[in-house]
Amino acid sequence: MIGSKHLLKPGRHLRARRLSLNLTLRDVHRASLRLARELRNPAFVIPPSRSHDIETKTITPNIHRLYTLAHIYGFDLRELLGWYGVPRR
Protein backbone atom coordinates (compact mmCIF):
# COMPACT_ATOMS: atom_id res chain seq x y z
CA MET A 1 0.00 0.00 0.00
CA ILE A 2 1.24 3.48 -0.86
CA GLY A 3 1.79 5.67 2.19
CA SER A 4 0.41 9.18 2.46
CA LYS A 5 3.96 10.59 2.36
CA HIS A 6 4.28 9.30 -1.23
CA LEU A 7 1.00 10.88 -2.27
CA LEU A 8 2.04 14.35 -1.10
CA LYS A 9 4.79 14.46 -3.71
CA PRO A 10 2.47 14.70 -6.74
CA GLY A 11 0.58 17.54 -5.06
CA ARG A 12 3.80 19.46 -4.49
CA HIS A 13 4.78 18.96 -8.13
CA LEU A 14 1.38 20.16 -9.29
CA ARG A 15 1.52 23.23 -7.07
CA ALA A 16 5.02 24.09 -8.28
CA ARG A 17 3.89 23.81 -11.90
CA ARG A 18 0.78 25.94 -11.26
CA LEU A 19 2.88 28.63 -9.61
CA SER A 20 5.49 28.52 -12.39
CA LEU A 21 2.67 29.21 -14.84
CA ASN A 22 1.46 32.10 -12.64
CA LEU A 23 -1.94 30.48 -12.23
CA THR A 24 -4.18 30.83 -9.20
CA LEU A 25 -6.53 28.09 -8.05
CA ARG A 26 -9.36 30.16 -9.55
CA ASP A 27 -7.51 30.34 -12.89
CA VAL A 28 -7.30 26.55 -12.91
CA HIS A 29 -11.00 26.36 -12.09
CA ARG A 30 -11.89 28.70 -14.98
CA ALA A 31 -9.69 26.72 -17.38
CA SER A 32 -11.32 23.48 -16.21
CA LEU A 33 -14.77 24.97 -16.83
CA ARG A 34 -13.77 25.83 -20.40
CA LEU A 35 -12.44 22.31 -20.98
CA ALA A 36 -15.56 20.73 -19.47
CA ARG A 37 -17.76 22.83 -21.77
CA GLU A 38 -15.62 21.91 -24.77
CA LEU A 39 -15.79 18.21 -23.92
CA ARG A 40 -19.44 18.45 -22.79
CA ASN A 41 -18.69 16.66 -19.54
CA PRO A 42 -18.79 18.29 -16.08
CA ALA A 43 -16.50 15.59 -14.68
CA PHE A 44 -13.54 17.63 -15.99
CA VAL A 45 -14.30 20.61 -13.70
CA ILE A 46 -11.91 21.19 -10.80
CA PRO A 47 -13.24 23.53 -8.10
CA PRO A 48 -10.58 25.65 -6.34
CA SER A 49 -11.13 23.78 -3.08
CA ARG A 50 -10.45 20.45 -4.80
CA SER A 51 -7.26 21.80 -6.42
CA HIS A 52 -6.11 22.90 -2.99
CA ASP A 53 -6.84 19.46 -1.54
CA ILE A 54 -4.99 17.75 -4.41
CA GLU A 55 -1.96 19.97 -3.81
CA THR A 56 -1.86 19.82 -0.02
CA LYS A 57 -3.52 16.58 1.10
CA THR A 58 -3.44 12.94 0.10
CA ILE A 59 -6.32 13.43 -2.35
CA THR A 60 -5.88 11.42 -5.55
CA PRO A 61 -7.71 13.08 -8.43
CA ASN A 62 -9.97 10.98 -10.61
CA ILE A 63 -9.00 10.33 -14.23
CA HIS A 64 -11.07 13.25 -15.55
CA ARG A 65 -9.38 15.71 -13.22
CA LEU A 66 -5.94 14.28 -13.95
CA TYR A 67 -6.65 14.80 -17.64
CA THR A 68 -7.70 18.39 -16.91
CA LEU A 69 -4.55 19.08 -14.91
CA ALA A 70 -2.36 17.58 -17.63
CA HIS A 71 -4.14 19.70 -20.23
CA ILE A 72 -3.91 22.96 -18.28
CA TYR A 73 -0.35 22.48 -17.02
CA GLY A 74 1.07 21.03 -20.24
CA PHE A 75 1.99 17.63 -18.82
CA ASP A 76 1.72 14.29 -20.54
CA LEU A 77 -1.12 12.43 -18.83
CA ARG A 78 1.05 9.31 -18.52
CA GLU A 79 3.56 11.29 -16.47
CA LEU A 80 0.86 12.38 -14.03
CA LEU A 81 -0.47 8.84 -13.79
CA GLY A 82 3.04 7.66 -12.94
CA TRP A 83 3.21 10.15 -10.06
CA TYR A 84 0.19 8.37 -8.59
CA GLY A 85 1.67 4.89 -9.01
CA VAL A 86 0.06 3.89 -12.31
CA PRO A 87 2.69 2.05 -14.38
CA ARG A 88 3.44 3.01 -17.99
CA ARG A 89 2.71 -0.17 -19.89
Side-chain angles (χ1 to χ4, degrees):
M1 176 156 195
I2 297 172
S4 61
K5 187 174 182 180
H6 173 77
L7 293 178
L8 286 175
K9 189 175 180 182
R12 285 196 299 262
H13 286 301
L14 290 168
R15 183 174 192 275
R17 180 59 165 232
R18 178 177 61 78
L19 294 175
S20 76
L21 295 170
N22 293 315
L23 296 173
T24 66
L25 295 174
R26 291 191 188 281
D27 293 332
V28 173
H29 175 65
R30 283 190 287 273
S32 76
L33 286 170
R34 286 190 297 274
L35 182 63
R37 277 193 297 270
E38 179 184 319
L39 299 176
R40 296 186 175 130
N41 187 339
F44 292 96
V45 174
I46 306 174
S49 61
R50 181 54 63 175
S51 288
H52 180 266
D53 288 347
I54 291 168
E55 290 180 2
T56 63
K57 298 180 182 173
T58 58
I59 302 298
T60 301
N62 66 32
I63 191 67
H64 294 89
R65 289 179 174 159
L66 275 175
Y67 177 89
T68 299
L69 292 168
H71 178 79
I72 294 169
Y73 295 168
F75 283 119
D76 182 280
L77 179 58
R78 291 171 296 194
E79 180 179 0
L80 282 155
L81 290 169
W83 292 356
Y84 288 94
V86 178
R88 293 182 180 207
R89 289 189 184 174

